[in-house]
Amino acid sequence: MSNRWGNSTEGRDPVAAGTDAGTPSRPGPEPGSGTDFHLELSGEGTLREQVMRALREAIGSGRLAPGTRLPSYRSLARDLGIALNTVGEAYGELVAEGWLAARQGSGTRVARRSTPLPSDRPRRSAPPVRRPAYDLMPTSPDAAAFPRSAWQTSARRALNAAPNDAFGVGDPQGRVELRTALTEYLARARGVRTSPHRIIICAGFAPALSMLGQAVKGEVAVESYGLGFHRSLLTSAGRRTVPLPVDARGAVIDTLPTTGAGAVLLTPAHQFPTGGPLHPERRAAVIDWARTTGGLVIEDDYDGEFRYDRQPVGAVQGLDPDRVVYIGSTSKSLSPALRIGWMAVPDHLVGDLLAVKGDREMWTGALDQLTLADFVACGAYDRHLRRMLLSYRRRRDRLVATLRARAPHIGIDGIAAGLHAVLGLPPGTEPSAVRAASRQGLALEGLAAYRHPDSDMPPRDGLVIGYGTPPDHAFEAALEALCLALPDAE
């Protein structure tokens, strides 16, 4: 016999009080009952012995932790379908044995001194995991800078103004309020030409790329240096990736026609991770390739708003909205925890991508979408980006100044933009520098971690340094540890 019961919230437990203070009998669990617990009766011995044995097993194995409150014996008796006195006697004996403790007014609980039995199999103690002292991975913005007050204001306004259908099944294309706000913002800030019906809301860049991998056909050309995670998403969708060489002017588009690819994934504003923008001639060349071949350009604009030496370059999508899919998200601008991204797609792809996504929005909540729509429309998003632009520019300047003073033989590659920089290293020194960084308590990676395995480019030595994540109070110490990990001048 088995059943499920919950922790009672009755103020007076019959075992402690010595009387039956349960509520009148009724079907189902008691209102206010807590976490369900599965009690298994073995069928051996009397019912009282079975209840006692099952409770001893639950306590001894650790399934019922010390201090856990048990239901009244009326509740348990009703759920197990046995007599009240049977449960009362079982509780009473377990109290006498020290397994349970009963006090007037606080009910019956698992005794604090009870401990789970040790496992029969000797356990090997795992070595302690040493967490890095400083996170220099180029994955996140400054979490402490999230605009909590402004976001809360937008959330309250969005909740009060939300239409009733916002609390129903989510539209897979996303809330029209957010798509409308993004249409205006992307046109103004990034030069994207689109409309609300051509925008699809998703849970970030990765889900967007996964959907595109299922919607497009053939191979996908990618930059020789990029996130392996993105390549694996395309591979999982059945798309083989073909590497394009990368230099200081971005991806080498001249080689694209020789790949036979039907689509190309680029980071034009700020090549990830090497740091160069796609040169204007190459921007024009990739559009010409797409128009000539019927190919598709997938534009990852992961940090396009953050340019420090000049105004940000507009999106490639603005050159031909019918041949480019533009993808952005809040992961770098606000927080990856929001899980909100967007695609501005050609008309002919909207239906295909929505078919891949399915009939319902699975990941991005309607209220978060409405909050972001208000956050963008009221200007709070622009104000936050201006504030973070100044903060990240100062951090990059501190990185440059520190290296100039402490390690002048180490150069910084790429443009002054984004939330990361690449430190060029002497040939053959990257592996030792990564190990030295680990010993200094730094979480970072070398360029080798981002190189496409099929690339025929000569490998480069370098460290990819994310300066967005460390809090302000720890940034100087992180830079000091970084300098200690760098190779000496030859």
Side-chain angles (χ1 to χ4, degrees):
M1 178 187 298
S2 65
N3 219 314
R4 293 168 65 87
W5 48 271
N7 295 337
S8 171
T9 57
E10 293 177 2
R12 181 166 179 254
D13 190 284
V15 173
T19 61
D20 180 4
T23 57
S25 177
R26 59 186 179 273
E30 296 182 9
S33 61
T35 304
D36 283 346
F37 177 76
H38 186 77
L39 190 65
E40 190 76 35
L41 301 188
S42 65
E44 299 178 2
T46 65
L47 287 175
R48 176 182 57 81
E49 292 169 343
Q50 292 179 46
V51 172
M52 291 176 62
R53 185 162 52 246
L55 286 171
R56 287 196 199 101
E57 185 278 328
I59 297 169
S61 66
R63 289 196 293 133
L64 280 180
T68 300
R69 184 170 182 169
L70 303 186
S72 68
Y73 69 75
R74 174 179 290 276
S75 300
L76 183 57
R78 181 179 60 241
D79 289 345
L80 293 177
I82 60 180
L84 301 179
N85 290 342
T86 299
V87 176
E89 291 171 2
Y91 272 29
E93 290 198 36
L94 290 175
V95 168
E97 292 177 2
W99 289 92
L100 302 179
R103 294 178 56 189
Q104 178 74 31
S106 64
T108 304
R109 300 177 184 270
V110 176
R112 291 287 181 184
R113 59 184 171 274
S114 63
T115 56
L117 293 174
S119 171
D120 293 336
R121 179 182 299 178
R123 294 182 179 178
R124 298 173 59 185
S125 58
V129 177
R130 182 186 177 190
R131 296 187 61 184
Y134 309 106
D135 185 358
L136 295 182
M137 296 292 288
T139 51
S140 296
D142 181 3
F146 185 83
R148 301 183 189 212
S149 179
W151 185 262
Q152 185 180 44
T153 299
S154 286
R156 184 165 51 248
R157 269 199 306 260
L159 181 61
N160 290 336
N164 291 337
D165 66 353
F167 301 94
V169 175
D171 181 349
Q173 189 161 357
R175 293 296 307 181
V176 67
E177 297 91 341
L178 178 55
R179 290 187 278 120
T180 301
L182 287 173
T183 297
E184 186 277 331
Y185 169 77
L186 294 174
R188 170 172 51 82
R190 302 298 301 126
V192 171
R193 293 191 290 152
T194 189
S195 58
H197 83 272
R198 292 170 64 148
I199 289 181
I200 298 175
I201 304 301
C202 49
F205 179 83
L209 186 61
S210 181
M211 284 189 283
L212 283 166
Q214 298 176 64
V216 302
K217 306 299 180 185
E219 298 175 342
V220 178
V222 298
E223 295 159 331
S224 280
Y225 282 91
L227 282 173
F229 174 54
H230 292 169
R231 296 192 294 265
S232 67
L233 287 173
L234 291 170
T235 301
S236 297
R239 309 274 75 82
R240 177 174 174 265
T241 61
V242 184
L244 295 176
V246 172
D247 59 22
R249 304 171 81 185
V252 181
I253 302 301
D254 291 348
T255 63
L256 182 54
T258 66
T259 64
V264 58
L265 170 62
L266 299 173
T267 51
H270 187 212
Q271 202 285 321
F272 186 85
T274 61
L278 190 63
H279 191 273
E281 291 180 0
R282 295 182 181 180
R283 292 161 69 95
V286 76
I287 294 299
D288 288 341
W289 166 84
R291 289 172 175 171
T292 302
T293 65
L296 185 71
V297 180
I298 304 171
E299 180 174 13
D300 178 5
D301 196 38
Y302 67 100
D303 65 358
E305 295 97 341
F306 296 117
R307 183 74 185 261
Y308 311 128
D309 57 348
R310 52 161 292 172
Q311 287 295 315
V313 177
V316 170
Q317 190 267 4
L319 299 177
D320 194 337
D322 291 327
R323 299 256 53 97
V324 182
V325 172
Y326 173 92
I327 307 178
S329 77
T330 60
S331 292
K332 294 291 190 293
S333 59
L334 282 169
S335 168
L338 291 180
R339 306 302 301 144
I340 300 179
W342 47 85
M343 290 186 283
V345 306
D347 259 333
H348 69 274
L349 274 181
V350 174
D352 292 342
L353 287 169
L354 290 178
V356 169
K357 192 175 187 186
D359 294 334
R360 299 189 179 191
E361 169 54 59
M362 298 291 290
W363 305 111
T364 305
L367 292 181
D368 282 343
Q369 293 182 51
L370 292 173
T371 300
L372 181 58
D374 181 273
F375 196 74
V376 171
C378 76
Y381 191 56
D382 290 271
R383 290 191 292 272
H384 173 72
L385 288 176
R386 286 195 295 269
R387 184 168 61 253
M388 298 315 299
L389 184 81
L390 179 61
S391 174
Y392 294 140
R393 182 173 66 188
R394 288 172 175 168
R395 289 191 179 200
R396 189 180 190 279
D397 289 346
R398 288 161 69 186
L399 171 63
V400 171
T402 300
L403 291 175
R404 185 178 295 127
R406 298 284 305 277
H409 59 290
I410 301 295
I412 295 185
D413 298 337
I415 58 175
L419 278 66
H420 80 279
V422 174
L423 309 189
L425 299 180
T429 61
E430 179 184 311
S432 61
V434 172
R435 291 193 296 270
S438 179
R439 290 193 295 271
Q440 293 295 330
L442 294 172
L444 56 75
E445 288 181 322
L447 273 175
Y450 299 92
R451 188 171 183 270
H452 195 295
D454 297 333
S455 174
D456 56 6
M457 285 183 61
R460 297 171 50 187
D461 284 74
L463 297 179
V464 183
I465 305 300
Y467 46 79
T469 302
D472 280 336
H473 72 270
F475 193 57
E476 288 295 341
L479 294 182
E480 173 67 21
L482 174 63
C483 289
L484 294 175
L486 295 175
D488 295 330
E490 295 181 353

